Amino acid sequence: MISHRHKFIYSHIPKCAGTTIEVVLKKFASPSIGSELAKENKWWRNKKLFELYKVNVDYFKFSFSRNPFERLVSTFSYFTDEKIPFSDFVKDVESFLNSKPHAIFKEISENRCINHSVRRNISPLKNALLGYHVLEQNYFVDSSFDFIGKVENLQSDFDYVCGIVGLDNFELPQLNRSSHNHYCSYYNTELRDIVERLYRKDLEMFNYDYGC
């Protein structure tokens, strides 16, 4: 999402309150291109999003991160309704991320989340949209970003962003929330070690740990 009037770029990291933030910011955002869904919601994805970073170097770039252990549980609950074991889900995600799908997603020239070659070959649970949702959070940002807020401090960090880009503060709604138990209850030592390895860069970059 980009606003030329307010000179900001927001990168929506999946399962990090992105829908909530986009709904609030949409009326300030500039038009996007691509599918009707993309144009309606004014979002940008993959190659088109990364191109915005390079072209609009003086814009305030921000995103929001989330504890990777909690984010994965939220994604699991949202996509499966917990109808399969969490251990099976984690191992499918592990296989997917070990295949290094990032380069494939980065070359999607259309403004969308799904790459059909990913769906055919390697997507977890054979769901390409799920594949997009479990990519590491650092995939969605780069070193040019000015601020990475935290879902754990969502309202106060969003208020900070509004102050920087010249918007009034807004009370954020709660949208697309999945219903699940505390994330710690889903992990044993093996699963914790897998997720810690897969998302090590996120844990370090965004200053998270297991926390249980």
Side-chain angles (χ1 to χ4, degrees):
M1 181 171 280
I2 184 169
S3 171
H4 294 298
R5 178 181 178 187
H6 295 278
K7 293 191 174 182
F8 70 73
I9 294 174
Y10 165 61
S11 178
H12 175 166
I13 299 176
K15 301 308 293 178
C16 291
T19 300
T20 294
I21 293 166
E22 285 183 334
V23 164
V24 171
L25 292 180
K26 184 165 67 171
K27 63 183 177 181
F28 305 105
S30 302
S32 64
I33 61 174
S35 69
E36 290 305 312
L37 185 62
K39 289 187 285 189
E40 177 187 351
N41 291 287
K42 298 183 178 179
W43 49 246
W44 299 81
R45 299 293 187 261
N46 296 304
K47 189 174 183 178
K48 295 298 184 184
L49 176 65
F50 302 134
E51 289 171 351
L52 293 181
Y53 301 166
K54 296 178 181 179
V55 172
N56 303 281
V57 294
D58 60 335
Y59 283 26
F60 182 79
K61 302 178 184 69
F62 70 96
S63 188
F64 280 79
S65 65
R66 186 177 188 180
N67 186 309
F69 292 99
E70 183 177 24
R71 176 178 178 249
L72 194 62
V73 168
S74 178
T75 305
F76 164 70
S77 180
Y78 184 79
F79 276 90
T80 72
D81 289 326
E82 306 201 14
K83 292 179 179 177
I84 65 171
F86 182 60
S87 58
D88 291 352
F89 177 80
V90 170
K91 291 174 182 178
D92 216 23
V93 170
E94 178 184 29
S95 177
F96 171 67
L97 292 179
N98 283 344
S99 71
K100 306 298 182 185
H102 317 79
I104 301 175
F105 277 93
K106 278 193 172 182
E107 290 306 312
I108 300 174
S109 58
E110 298 88 353
N111 188 22
R112 56 184 170 88
C113 304
I114 297 174
N115 182 300
H116 295 290
S117 64
V118 175
R119 174 187 288 129
R120 288 195 301 270
N121 296 324
I122 58 174
S123 292
L125 306 186
K126 296 181 169 46
N127 185 326
L129 186 60
L130 171 57
Y132 184 79
H133 277 67
V134 298
L135 291 172
E136 297 97 314
Q137 295 173 67
N138 65 80
Y139 164 82
F140 298 91
V141 300
D142 66 19
S143 60
S144 71
F145 268 62
D146 300 284
F147 181 69
I148 308 293
K150 291 182 179 290
V151 169
E152 294 81 4
N153 308 320
L154 182 59
Q155 186 66 62
S156 60
D157 283 355
F158 185 73
D159 290 346
Y160 170 78
V161 169
C162 288
I164 292 291
V165 301
L167 301 178
D168 293 333
N169 289 349
F170 295 89
E171 184 174 351
L172 292 169
Q174 295 182 341
L175 303 174
N176 274 8
R177 296 186 68 183
S178 54
S179 178
H180 55 79
N181 295 326
H182 192 278
Y183 74 90
C184 292
S185 66
Y186 292 78
Y187 289 94
N188 57 28
T189 301
E190 179 189 12
L191 297 180
R192 173 185 172 178
D193 288 346
I194 291 171
V195 173
E196 192 169 68
R197 178 181 61 79
L198 293 176
Y199 295 102
R200 185 177 306 280
K201 187 173 180 180
D202 285 350
L203 289 163
E204 294 172 353
M205 179 180 292
F206 305 119
N207 194 28
Y208 286 109
D209 57 29
Y210 182 50
C212 298

